[in-house]
């Protein structure tokens, strides 16, 4: 009888094979050749440079798309202003800035200040001048009162309206006054301008050391409080 060695048995051969596979799996992976590592680093550097270049292009393109706002300095009495060029109404070819000395003029869109319908774009023409006692509310009311008719009627927006007597300097105008004493708002509007003037109504008041004269369309007179508030806030943002 011939005896068989233990490692020749099928069970022992399978165990040896499994042990060998486990030893190979547990070995650490061989490092990449230096050439392959350098190639990966170069590829990563190229991708990073491309991403940075794309981000920079987007940033500078966005900056070019943003219009720069040119500010025009002006002084009205003792008040210094910095007025965006698009509010002054000065054309690109108009280089005469002297008219802004001692007085300033603004053009504002009504939709940016009040609740008017988007399709109705009204303009407010604003003149800023040094303070004058003639424009004090009490004196304005005293001046107009001498020429007003006794008839009074109401108007939307909490205003009352009176006409001017025939033969007076303001014949053909109406006087819109806030209640109770007209100190909050007092404006003159012509009854008929024949479509020649887009901003026929005018109101003058004091604000932070300046006289503010606004010419505006009659269509927005009921929103007078919103209009005055918007103009005051705009002027506050221009004062330096």
């Amino acid at each position: 009888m011939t005896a068989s060695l233990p490692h020749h048995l099928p069970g022992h051969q399978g165990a040896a094979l499994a042990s060998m596979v486990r030893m190979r799996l547990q070995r650490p992976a061989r490092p990449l050749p230096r050439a392959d590592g350098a190639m990966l680093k170069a590829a990563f550097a190229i991708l990073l440079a491309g991403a940075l270049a794309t981000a920079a292009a987007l940033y500078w393109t966005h900056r070019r798309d943003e219009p720069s706002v040119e500010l025009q300095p002006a002084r009205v009495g003792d008040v210094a202003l910095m007025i965006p060029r698009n509010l002054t109404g000065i054309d690109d070819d108009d280089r005469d800035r002297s008219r802004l000395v001692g007085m300033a003029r603004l053009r504002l869109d009504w939709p940016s200040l009040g609740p008017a319908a988007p399709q109705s774009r009204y303009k407010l023409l604003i003149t800023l001048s040094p303070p004058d006692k003639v424009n004090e509310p009490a004196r304005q009311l005293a001046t107009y009162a001498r020429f007003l008719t006794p008839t009074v009627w109401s108007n939307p927006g909490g205003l009352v309206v009176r006409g001017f007597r025939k033969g007076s300097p303001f014949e053909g105008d109406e006087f819109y006054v806030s209640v109770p004493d007209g100190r909050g708002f007092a404006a003159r509007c012509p009854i008929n301008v024949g479509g020649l003037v887009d901003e026929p109504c005018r109101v003058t008041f004091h604000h932070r050391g300046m006289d503010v004269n606004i010419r505006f369309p009659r269509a927005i007179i009921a929103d007078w409080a919103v209009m005055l508030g918007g103009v005051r806030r705009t002027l506050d943002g221009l004062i330096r």
Side-chain angles (χ1 to χ4, degrees):
M1 173 180 249
T2 304
S4 298
L5 295 174
H7 62 272
H8 290 160
L9 296 177
H12 288 282
Q13 292 178 352
L17 181 60
S19 177
M20 182 177 62
V21 170
R22 282 196 300 270
M23 290 177 63
R24 289 184 175 274
L25 291 176
Q26 291 175 357
R27 289 179 182 176
R30 292 183 179 180
L32 292 173
R34 292 185 178 181
D36 293 342
M39 185 177 297
L40 288 176
K41 291 180 180 180
F44 178 77
I46 293 173
L47 291 176
L48 181 59
L52 292 176
T54 302
L58 292 175
Y59 173 76
W60 287 109
T61 301
H62 180 68
R63 283 179 61 91
R64 285 196 298 269
D65 292 341
E66 293 179 353
S68 59
V69 178
E70 180 182 351
L71 297 179
Q72 171 65 48
R75 179 170 290 276
V76 178
D78 296 330
V79 181
L81 304 166
M82 293 296 288
I83 304 174
R85 187 180 178 85
N86 63 310
L87 298 186
T88 63
I90 299 177
D91 297 330
D92 291 336
D93 296 332
D94 186 0
R95 301 302 178 187
D96 182 11
R97 309 289 179 87
S98 61
R99 59 179 173 178
L100 293 178
V101 177
M103 182 178 293
R105 292 185 175 89
L106 307 177
R107 293 174 181 268
L108 301 182
D109 290 329
W110 166 250
S112 65
L113 299 175
Q119 66 271 19
S120 301
R121 296 193 62 84
Y122 300 113
K123 288 287 186 181
L124 304 182
L125 305 183
I126 302 172
T127 301
L128 307 176
S129 58
D132 191 331
K133 291 183 177 180
V134 173
N135 295 321
E136 293 178 354
R139 182 168 294 190
Q140 287 188 70
L141 294 175
T143 300
Y144 293 136
R146 294 178 294 165
F147 306 106
L148 293 172
T149 61
T151 305
V152 179
W153 63 96
S154 61
N155 186 77
L159 301 175
V160 295
V161 189
R162 295 178 66 177
F164 288 94
R165 296 197 309 265
K166 292 183 179 180
S168 71
F170 311 108
E171 180 182 0
D173 287 358
E174 291 178 331
F175 195 43
Y176 290 77
V177 185
S178 61
V179 294
D181 56 6
R183 293 181 180 273
F185 182 79
R188 283 194 299 121
C189 294
I191 298 174
N192 184 14
V193 295
L196 299 178
V197 182
D198 293 331
E199 301 84 12
C201 299
R202 45 203 173 274
V203 59
T204 302
F205 58 93
H206 287 304
H207 184 68
R208 297 187 64 177
M210 299 179 291
D211 281 352
V212 183
N213 177 272
I214 307 176
R215 296 182 65 92
F216 61 95
R218 183 197 296 265
I220 64 174
I221 197 167
D223 296 318
W224 63 272
V226 177
M227 177 180 67
L228 293 191
V231 170
R232 290 178 186 273
R233 288 190 297 271
T234 299
L235 296 179
D236 288 342
L238 303 181
I239 295 176
R240 295 295 184 266

